[in-house]
Amino acid sequence: MSIFNASSPTGNKLRHGLRVLGAVLILTAFVVWFKAGAHTGFTKNRVEVFKVDPITQIEYTDYKESFVMGVEYLAAASLTGLGLIASGFIFARKQ
Amino acid sequence: MRKVTATIITLALLSAASLQAESKTFDFDDPKGVNSISFTLDAPLEQINGSGKGVTGKVTFDPDAPETTSGKIVITTGSLTVTNDTMRDHMLGDGWLDAESHPEITFVAKSMSKVETTEKGISAHLAGSFTLKGVTKEIVVPVTLTYLPDMLSARTNGKAKGDLLVIRSNFTINRSDYGIKPGQSTDKVAEVIELRLAIAGAAPDA
């Protein structure tokens, strides 16, 4: 009996497991991305810190090393999650 | 009578010399790291913001005759930074700015026009040669000059006395004019580059 057989207990568990794992991955990615500031651009290795020189009043940009998760991580996690969910359905059809 | 005439002539020469001495050379090398040029490329799919701090150069400025301002400002291409290391490597690579072959971005000021004194300082149009990636174009940019006499001391915690000159300018260039991948990737890298310059130069007392 193959594990791809939907009627088998192992196949059922695998299909459900893949779907749940996919959904959890997508949800986790969104939560982490949102908590990290919901940055809509690409990932940053450093962030801008805006400062003003008190004597000349020049506004200038300094940088602070910091990781800010970008949309490419969100997209990659979402695609992987969708792939896992889709795999669960594909296995179901192979019964 | 001869002594009086001689004294008058001497005083006249001295005052003329002091008037000529009003013109000062300001050094824009900035160890404090305040001087910078910021840039923005606002493309439909992506906005790129960054700045460069490798500013050097000298400008001669006379507060009584600002229209005579001249000089050269240099920005080290390799000092340009964005918030993503990979993007920075691409930007400085040979496909884009080619920082290794073209290590400097320069502006040589040649003449000033439309000089006006405003609340913020002296506003004018500055004509000069702008060189980027080895391509030189004659451009005219709006500038604001703020002359801060005797303010160098405040900036150096009393270590040096002298004057400060702040130059501000916002202008745009087209990257295709300077051979930076003309017509390519315009959805992600805008054709128009917005530049914002804010730099302070120091002229220590002799």
Side-chain angles (χ1 to χ4, degrees):
Chain A
M1 184 182 287
S2 166
I3 60 165
F4 298 122
N5 188 339
S7 58
S8 75
T10 315
N12 265 334
K13 278 184 183 176
L14 182 65
R15 284 191 302 111
H16 282 290
L18 285 171
R19 289 175 196 173
V20 169
L21 186 66
V24 167
L25 183 64
I26 292 171
L27 191 67
T28 306
F30 267 92
V31 169
V32 170
W33 174 74
F34 192 78
K35 285 216 156 197
H39 174 56
T40 52
F42 287 110
T43 297
K44 293 180 176 182
N45 303 107
R46 60 184 74 86
V47 292
E48 297 142 317
V49 181
F50 298 103
K51 295 182 176 178
V52 178
D53 180 61
I55 307 299
T56 60
Q57 300 302 313
I58 288 177
E59 295 170 10
Y60 63 101
T61 309
D62 249 347
Y63 292 93
K64 187 177 76 174
E65 293 300 317
S66 178
F67 179 82
V68 179
M69 184 180 167
V71 288
E72 73 269 35
Y73 279 91
L74 185 65
S78 299
L79 284 174
T80 308
L82 286 172
L84 288 172
I85 293 169
S87 301
F89 284 107
I90 290 166
F91 288 157
R93 285 178 189 168
K94 285 189 174 179
Q95 63 185 301
Chain B
M1 186 62 189
R2 277 185 185 172
K3 276 188 179 177
V4 173
T5 310
T7 308
I8 290 169
I9 291 169
T10 307
L11 284 172
L13 286 171
L14 280 172
S15 62
S18 70
L19 279 176
Q20 282 182 341
E22 288 294 320
S23 179
K24 290 186 172 184
T25 299
F26 292 83
D27 189 345
F28 285 80
D29 192 8
D30 172 30
K32 290 180 76 113
V34 171
N35 286 350
S36 67
I37 184 164
S38 304
F39 56 89
T40 298
L41 291 88
D42 196 4
L45 294 182
E46 194 173 356
Q47 187 183 67
I48 301 169
N49 294 300
S51 65
K53 289 203 166 189
V55 178
T56 53
K58 289 183 178 176
V59 170
T60 303
F61 172 77
D62 180 348
D64 295 322
E67 65 279 1
T68 61
T69 302
S70 63
K72 181 181 181 181
I73 296 297
V74 180
I75 294 145
T76 307
T77 311
S79 76
L80 299 179
T81 302
V82 290
T83 52
N84 182 295
D85 280 340
T86 308
M87 188 187 288
R88 181 176 183 272
D89 291 343
H90 283 160
M91 177 180 73
L92 299 179
D94 55 3
W96 293 92
L97 292 178
D98 195 3
E100 203 172 308
S101 304
H102 306 287
E104 291 183 342
I105 299 164
T106 62
F107 182 81
V108 179
K110 291 182 176 172
S111 65
M112 255 184 158
S113 60
K114 298 182 181 176
V115 181
E116 289 177 17
T117 303
T118 65
E119 283 181 7
K120 291 180 180 177
I122 298 159
S123 72
H125 284 191
L126 186 62
S129 304
F130 184 73
T131 303
L132 173 62
K133 205 183 176 185
V135 178
T136 302
K137 297 270 178 191
E138 297 300 316
I139 62 171
V140 178
V141 298
V143 291
T144 303
L145 307 175
T146 309
Y147 177 56
L148 302 170
D150 303 321
M151 288 297 280
L152 180 58
S153 175
R155 204 173 191 224
T156 58
N157 295 323
K159 288 177 186 169
K161 289 183 177 179
D163 304 337
L164 293 174
L165 177 68
V166 180
I167 301 178
R168 291 182 173 86
S169 181
N170 294 352
F171 61 100
T172 61
I173 56 168
N174 292 330
R175 65 179 169 93
S176 59
D177 289 346
Y178 298 88
I180 304 169
K181 292 203 175 186
Q184 292 183 46
S185 309
T186 50
D187 54 340
K188 285 182 281 188
V189 183
E191 160 67 9
V192 176
I193 304 173
E194 299 168 27
L195 296 167
R196 296 175 299 281
L197 182 79
I199 54 175
D205 290 340

